[in-house]
Amino acid sequence: MTTPKDFDFFVIGAGSGGVRASRVAASSGAKVAVAESYRAGGTCVIRGCVPKKLLVYAAHFHEDFEDAAGYGWSVPQAEFSWPRLIEAKNREIARLEGIYENLLAKAGVNFMRGRARVVDAHTVEVEGKRHTARHILVATGGWPVKPDIPGAELGISSNEAFELTEMPRRVLMVGGGYIAVEFAGIFRGLGAEVTLSYRGSEILRGFDDDVRAHLRGQIEAKGIRVLLRNELTSIERHGGALRVRTSDVDISVDCDCVMFATGRMPNTAGLGLAEAGVALDENGAVIVDQYGQSSVPSIHAVGDVTHRVQLTPVAIREGQALANTLFNNRPTSVSHANIPSAVFSQPPIGTVGDSEEAAIQKYGRVEVYQAKFRPMKHTLSGRSEQTYMKLIVEPKSQKVVGVHMVGPDAPEIIQGIGIAVVAGLTKQQFDDTMAIHPTAAEEFVTMREKVLRGF
Ligand code: NDP
């Protein structure tokens, strides 16, 4: 007979995945505890997606004021206050944090503040106190990492970017992924001089090549200086500024802020997982099966700590699936295929399904439909920004296997289109759908000119 446990489910980390898993488990009658060392809500709510999107809105007003002139508005000289923005953002984040804590309390989840450590397969220690549980969930997320170069400690990560007391005037962004591109746009929109240094040949590795090139052109046109095949070699303090040397001997950059957006690694250090027999990969990620179970049957993991897909909605789904598996007698796995995603760059990207390159790898040949145009709004604003849209079709089945867009509202549009791609709809079914005019989205149902690729 097994000894009774303090809890049915002990969750470490009150972020997107942990909160969802604990609420679903508790609503199924499980006795649940959650330990959180920082703030309820996790990366997404406290220092990720949510505050980032608020900063993107803030940055966009710059262009909105300029564009208004083309529509007959006289806008007085606008002034921006970074401290006021950060204060307003902090208030909203505190409100959301409170909502998360309330949701947990209402669900009957025991919320513990403090750093947790796994002692063994059924025991967790929080601030010196031990608790036993039938199941343990590791939902500790990830943490930004910096390259190992002299002076790296002088640079910040996205964590600190949200808390800067002053808006930097000259920013060097390092990396070419989601965070680099998004924050480059934020700082540029708010008026900073921005240089983005990326080690590869084109930003946003893994995205469709046409999308990558198009977005780079757009952000360069907005004044972001993009250095490709460029790596930082050192950062030094020079008076009040930072001097950055790069792999290109001719390029050194003086700036006020170096921000590293060079990836995020699983948060497993000091958690006691390896000692408890949990298998970790070379990045420290918890290795799990399709149901979120680790090599120790009573220990599970969801979200960024598994280093598979680092996206909030995926962590939420994984948390929900795990709770259903463990407490609702419904083994559930989460498909990682066709996950729509967005980059909140300016203009933003929305994408679902395969890039052209991935589709050619999979299917050999693809049919491609594209559109590039000036958004209607800019006919009067005079802005030269261009929208790019692309459909990728598998020739035999005629299924639309990839849809990509760079342009205003792309994330909102692609969320809807994602349903069609997940449903496996064909190009003909897209074409059968009546357009909504005048919109940019209507291009997705009116594209007629086919280009063959990989043939
Ligand atoms: P990404 O993995 O997207 O990008 C990391 C970037 O840093 C890449 O360009 C990478 O280059 C570069 N890099 C990595 N290591 C080094 C190094 N040692 N020296 C120089 N450059 C390096 O990570 P982010 O930090 O941007 O974001 C983390 C994750 O969070 C994202 O992958 C995404 O899943 C998620 N996220 C999602 C958002 C959204 O949905 N809108 C927004 C923000 C984050 P290379 O390409 O050559 O490897």
Side-chain angles (χ1 to χ4, degrees):
M1 211 182 82
T2 52
T3 34
K5 304 284 189 291
D6 301 331
F7 296 100
D8 296 311
F9 197 34
F10 199 105
V11 178
I12 307 178
S16 303
V19 167
R20 176 57 65 93
S22 32
R23 286 175 59 205
V24 175
S27 70
S28 311
K31 192 172 176 207
V32 184
V34 181
E36 170 58 55
S37 62
Y38 187 53
R39 295 171 69 180
T43 301
C44 177
V45 175
I46 306 296
R47 47 192 172 195
C49 335
V50 175
K52 179 273 309 289
K53 185 114 188 245
L54 296 175
L55 299 196
V56 171
Y57 282 129
H60 214 274
F61 281 105
H62 195 143
E63 287 190 352
D64 295 340
F65 292 135
E66 285 174 5
D67 292 348
Y71 286 84
W73 289 91
S74 306
V75 182
Q77 183 63 42
E79 275 177 29
F80 169 70
S81 161
W82 171 267
R84 267 178 30 221
L85 169 63
I86 295 302
E87 204 185 298
K89 180 270 292 177
N90 287 346
R91 271 198 308 275
E92 174 58 7
I93 299 313
R95 187 184 74 86
L96 294 175
E97 181 188 4
I99 288 176
Y100 269 73
E101 287 183 7
N102 273 338
L103 284 173
L104 289 170
K106 270 199 202 134
V109 174
N110 190 327
F111 185 72
M112 300 179 191
R113 207 170 283 283
R115 186 161 285 280
R117 189 177 63 86
V118 173
V119 178
D120 61 37
H122 291 284
T123 312
V124 178
E125 187 177 288
V126 184
E127 304 292 317
K129 187 162 188 279
R130 292 191 173 193
H131 309 271
T132 54
R134 264 198 313 132
H135 294 282
I136 295 169
L137 171 60
V138 182
T140 48
W143 194 254
V145 286
K146 296 176 186 176
D148 187 15
I149 57 163
E153 70 284 354
L154 298 172
I156 64 167
S157 71
S158 53
N159 284 352
E160 295 81 33
F162 288 115
E163 306 298 336
L164 291 172
T165 49
E166 264 178 60
M167 160 79 189
R169 290 284 133 212
R170 296 170 302 170
V171 178
L172 177 69
M173 191 63 62
V174 192
Y178 283 82
I179 297 180
V181 170
E182 292 182 340
F183 269 88
I186 288 169
F187 285 124
R188 181 69 196 133
L190 295 176
E193 251 177 53
V194 178
T195 301
L196 183 147
S197 155
Y198 175 52
R199 65 183 178 182
S201 56
E202 186 58 279
I203 58 171
L204 291 172
R205 185 166 60 83
F207 284 72
D208 183 275
D209 280 354
D210 288 322
V211 165
R212 300 165 75 190
H214 183 81
L215 184 78
R216 180 171 50 79
Q218 297 298 300
I219 65 174
E220 284 178 331
K222 289 179 194 291
I224 295 174
R225 178 182 179 213
V226 179
L227 305 174
L228 297 174
R229 298 182 190 86
N230 183 270
E231 281 191 71
L232 263 58
T233 50
S234 69
I235 311 175
E236 289 158 28
R237 199 178 284 289
H238 262 248
L242 299 173
R243 174 150 307 162
V244 177
R245 293 187 200 284
T246 75
S247 51
D248 187 331
V249 286
D250 296 329
I251 300 180
S252 73
V253 180
D254 286 343
C255 60
D256 315 309
C257 173
V258 176
M259 176 169 159
F260 288 102
T262 42
R264 298 174 57 89
M265 285 298 161
N267 242 338
T268 48
L271 265 182
L273 291 170
E275 297 81 344
V278 175
L280 306 176
D281 75 6
E282 68 282 4
N283 295 310
V286 181
I287 300 172
V288 291
D289 69 7
Q290 58 175 327
Y291 298 107
Q293 188 178 51
S294 79
S295 57
V296 175
S298 59
I299 301 182
H300 315 266
V302 297
D304 287 4
V305 77
T306 64
H307 209 59
R308 293 173 297 176
V309 183
Q310 296 173 296
L311 295 173
T312 278
V314 176
I316 292 174
R317 277 289 167 87
E318 290 172 358
Q320 171 112 24
L322 180 72
N324 282 336
T325 300
L326 297 180
F327 302 105
N328 283 331
N329 219 359
R330 202 160 11 113
T332 312
S333 63
V334 175
S335 164
H336 288 169
N338 286 330
I339 297 172
S341 84
V343 181
F344 293 94
S345 45
Q346 295 175 48
I349 298 176
T351 174
V352 60
D354 295 326
S355 65
E356 182 183 318
E357 299 69 37
I360 290 175
Q361 283 262 320
K362 262 193 211 170
Y363 307 111
R365 297 167 170 191
V366 291
E367 297 172 359
V368 172
Y369 297 80
Q370 302 175 84
K372 195 187 270 193
F373 54 92
R374 177 147 96 160
M376 187 176 174
K377 183 179 173 191
H378 296 320
T379 53
L380 295 198
S381 75
R383 189 169 295 286
S384 61
E385 193 177 296
Q386 294 261 305
T387 286
Y388 175 72
M389 297 166 74
K390 182 172 189 177
L391 279 183
I392 297 158
V393 178
E394 193 281 307
K396 281 205 201 93
S397 65
Q398 281 299 301
K399 280 186 183 168
V400 176
V401 294
V403 185
H404 311 277
M405 175 170 178
V406 185
D409 303 322
E412 305 288 343
I413 293 167
I414 292 295
Q415 180 68 83
I417 298 278
I419 300 170
V421 173
V422 170
L425 300 192
T426 62
K427 175 69 168 65
Q428 188 59 50
Q429 288 169 308
F430 274 60
D431 295 349
D432 289 345
T433 307
M434 201 66 83
I436 301 175
H437 187 71
T439 62
E442 68 181 303
E443 288 291 326
F444 281 133
V445 295
T446 57
M447 286 176 171
R448 299 287 181 263
E449 222 167 284
K450 172 165 56 179
V451 185
L452 305 178
R453 298 271 169 79
F455 276 79

